[in-house]
């Protein structure tokens, strides 16, 4: 039982680390393509998880979530963006912010179709079922990436959804929304600890999952 739990923890952590890496790299790559090389010059356009990992958000918080059997979420180091170097600052910042959740949705779709096409290896006595670990990885990748995409698109600064909404609103209203930024994590913790997380994140995630094979 202990070995099984450790294996599951390892797979879940690996999926989270990979998903967060792609998420942050998508931000960095999009910013670079739209005129701001800041993140690229810092090495953030990379598949190397070490350049994106945050001790609290990528390691400690997810481990506590796994041990406490609560929804697995985490975050990596934010990608620095110099808005003034973007070609069209307000529009492009919306695209940079949306790139992270979009990459998670793309990963979820890719993982779902790969899982659907995965041949199931026959279980023969004395032989390992080589497809089981991969199927477990892909299944978790679908669920976790949908969860990350929905969670990050909540219109609450400093989440990506808050940044997208800020860029879409008229400057006056965007300024009012940004005043929430210092208290954003308090709002998020309140959601996680109440039914708000279920209605705003889990239910939309389950709906999106139902559309995939």
């Amino acid at each position: 039982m202990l070995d099984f739990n450790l294996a599951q923890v390892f797979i879940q952590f690996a999926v989270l680390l990979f998903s967060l890496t792609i998420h942050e790299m998508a931000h960095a790559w999009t910013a670079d393509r739209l005129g701001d090389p800041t993140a690229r010059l810092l090495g953030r356009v990379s598949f190397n998880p070490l350049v994106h990992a945050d001790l609290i958000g990528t390691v400690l918080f997810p481990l506590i979530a796994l041990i406490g059997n609560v929804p697995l979420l985490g975050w990596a180091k934010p990608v620095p963006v110099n808005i003034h170097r973007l070609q069209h600052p307000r529009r492009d910042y919306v695209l940079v912010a949306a790139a992270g959740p979009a990459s998670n949705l793309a990963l979820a779709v890719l993982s779902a179709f790969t899982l659907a096409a995965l041949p199931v290896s026959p279980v023969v006595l004395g032989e390992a079922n080589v497809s089981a670990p991969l199927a477990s990885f892909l299944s978790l990748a679908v669920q976790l990436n949908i969860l990350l995409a929905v969670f990050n698109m909540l219109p609450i600064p400093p989440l990506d959804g808050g940044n997208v909404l800020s860029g879409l609103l008229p400057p006056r209203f965007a300024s009012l929304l940004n005043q929430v930024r210092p208290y954003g994590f308090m709002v998020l913790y309140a959601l996680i600890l109440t039914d708000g997380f279920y209605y705003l994140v889990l239910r939309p995630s389950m709906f999106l999952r139902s559309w995939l094979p």
Side-chain angles (χ1 to χ4, degrees):
M1 180 64 70
L2 181 60
D3 290 339
F4 176 78
N5 288 337
L6 288 175
Q8 284 296 105
V9 168
F10 176 79
I11 291 174
Q12 291 182 54
F13 185 75
V15 171
L16 178 67
L17 187 61
F18 176 72
S19 303
L20 291 177
T21 297
I22 297 299
H23 180 106
E24 296 303 330
M25 190 186 73
H27 284 312
W29 181 84
T30 304
D32 185 53
R33 295 289 294 178
L34 294 176
D36 176 26
T38 304
R40 176 175 58 80
L41 295 175
L42 293 173
R44 298 298 298 275
V45 184
S46 171
F47 286 106
N48 180 4
L50 295 180
V51 304
H52 303 290
D54 175 82
L55 178 61
I56 303 297
T58 314
V59 181
L60 293 181
F61 190 83
L63 289 178
I64 292 173
L66 288 170
I67 295 171
N69 195 30
V70 297
L72 179 62
L73 288 171
W75 62 88
K77 291 188 295 187
V79 166
V81 179
N82 186 340
I83 299 178
H84 301 292
R85 302 187 72 173
L86 297 172
Q87 298 170 10
H88 305 280
R90 282 178 59 82
R91 184 205 69 182
D92 291 351
Y93 190 59
V94 169
L95 297 176
V96 172
S103 71
N104 290 129
L105 285 178
L107 275 177
V109 172
L110 179 62
S111 298
F113 280 95
T114 303
L115 181 62
L118 181 69
V120 179
S121 299
V123 180
V124 180
L125 186 63
E127 293 185 4
N129 185 352
V130 296
S131 66
L134 179 57
S136 180
F137 184 94
L138 291 172
S139 179
L140 280 168
V142 176
Q143 299 174 40
L144 182 58
N145 276 283
I146 291 176
L147 193 65
L148 285 173
V150 173
F151 180 75
N152 274 288
M153 281 307 293
L154 290 176
I156 304 171
L159 295 181
D160 295 324
N163 293 328
V164 169
L165 182 58
S166 178
L168 294 175
L169 289 173
R172 177 185 174 185
F173 294 105
S175 177
L176 291 174
L177 178 65
N178 285 327
Q179 292 179 18
V180 179
R181 190 173 297 272
Y183 314 102
F185 278 107
M186 296 175 62
V187 176
L188 294 175
Y189 281 124
L191 284 176
I192 292 173
L193 296 174
T194 64
D195 289 341
F197 188 80
Y198 173 77
Y199 288 106
L200 296 178
V201 179
L202 292 183
R203 287 194 67 173
S205 297
M206 290 186 288
F207 174 75
L208 289 176
R209 178 66 184 93
S210 69
W211 283 69
L212 296 176

